[in-house]
Amino acid sequence: MMRVLAAQALVVITWLFVVGVTSAVSTGLATTVALADDGDGDGGDDGDDGGDDDSDDDDSDDDGSPSARSSDGRHGGTGAVNSPGDFLRNLFGGQTAQERRVQRPPAPQPIPRPAFAPDEIVTRGLTDDQTAQLEAQGFVVLERADLAVLGTTVRRFQVPNGVSLQEARDTIRALPNGETADFNHFYRTGQDDPANVAVPDGAPACDGLHCPARKLIDWPAGLAPNGCGAPVTMGIVDTGLNIDHEVLAGAEINLTRIAPEDYSASGAVHGTAVAAILVGDPESRVPGLLPGLPLVAVDAFHKSAGDERADAFTLVRAVDYLAENGAQVINLSLAGPPNTVLEDTLLQLTRDRRIPVIAAVGNDGPRAEAAYPAAYDNVIAVTAVDRSGMVYRRAIRGPHVELAAQGVEVWTAASVEGARWKTGTSFAAPYVTAAAVLLLQQDPTLTPEEIRARLATSARDLGTEGFDGTYGHGLLDLGGVCTGEAMVTPVSLE
């Protein structure tokens, strides 16, 4: 009997030794792979001291799962031995790893991201009499806004109980002035999770006019802070901005928030980063493209259950505010579904008010449907590329794409302090917005279509020869445009 027990003990000790060595080697290899694949965009070596950013991006590159197992039993197929503890349990009885996995609670589901408000319709141009007719049918006016510059009225209705959104929209569209009525769609900013952004080893800290993004588009060297001609006011609709950030503290920014009082305020992450690309202090770590020009900014976003978004009704109010306050070029680093009220509003801005509108194509992936407002015919749609001119892997593609600019690893402001690398089509759009400003400074008589044509003609072809649905006309190229006196920039960001 003693000999049998001794033999079993020897088997156990031998197994523990073999598995222990194998586990140690496997752990070392796994650690090495994890470190090599660590793409945290706010790593210490890039000089980023702003570790406060959140991301609204819920996409992931991970195709596997921690619970995935191969069928050969090496990683725990049915009845497999995964560890010394499992061996002992199988030898002397007890619960196996397979049984424990079955009892694990399900993984948490991602936060739902609805495409529109569940019971709201937005309208443009209805008369008071028509509104009264709708109220008699049970519609409730939640908000009304008289658009000063566009000369029309927009309303946000709550649909009657028991009436579907489709039925409610059809009812309003049947009215003489109601043909553009639509759902109150949601729009979101586009930025990648910093943990998914691979920063090249030894990537230099950005130093103003020598940043890779500017070299890529041949941004004019020696450009003055206010550009090279008549003053032009820029406008953006985005999340909140931290105007006390050291990068923006000296900028001329008119910031307002347009949203119902009971909505939770948006964060200041995305908007701060976009604004810094345009008007960051030239003496700071993030020198802006045109820091001497005024910027009108509207925070049109709010948070709901972890989802940061703007609705169509608020976007329409926001762009009207920009026009009313002198914006001559508008940047929309946001994307969402098509909406007829928003479409008509932007068309009126470009056609009647002669205001170019530039928008990011969105980051839902190359097989996704076109996102708006970038896909509207009168809006200049901008995609993102990296430093080598390769398209951002998650940029939406299609025949509406017009121009490309760097949107991968762009050095810009973090929300509270400092700076960090940012990735997304959102951060490519401001480069085209600034380019439109330069053209308008040189010739204030240019129409939005003429500006679009000039940018398309001067673009450097990328990808398939000629126009294509990945890069559009190609990479934004400002070579030889708008040279001026040297602009003082820091030589070191230490």
Side-chain angles (χ1 to χ4, degrees), residues 226-243:
N226 59 349
C228 60
V232 171
T233 299
M234 299 176 288
I236 65 172
V237 180
D238 217 291
T239 68
L241 276 67
N242 177 14
I243 57 176

Side-chain angles (χ1 to χ4, degrees), residues 345-364:
T345 300
L346 294 179
L347 181 60
Q348 189 177 0
L349 282 177
T350 56
R351 182 188 59 200
D352 300 341
R353 305 295 302 184
R354 298 166 61 99
I355 300 175
V357 177
I358 293 90
V361 298
N363 305 332
D364 287 338

Side-chain angles (χ1 to χ4, degrees), residues 318-342:
V319 295
D320 180 74
Y321 178 90
L322 293 181
E324 184 180 7
N325 285 270
Q328 295 163 270
V329 179
I330 292 178
N331 185 96
L332 300 176
S333 289
L334 49 88
N339 181 279
T340 49
V341 173
L342 179 61

Side-chain angles (χ1 to χ4, degrees), residues 413-431:
S415 62
V416 175
E417 62 179 4
R420 64 167 51 194
W421 302 101
K422 295 278 189 176
T423 288
T425 57
S426 282
F427 309 112
Y431 290 95

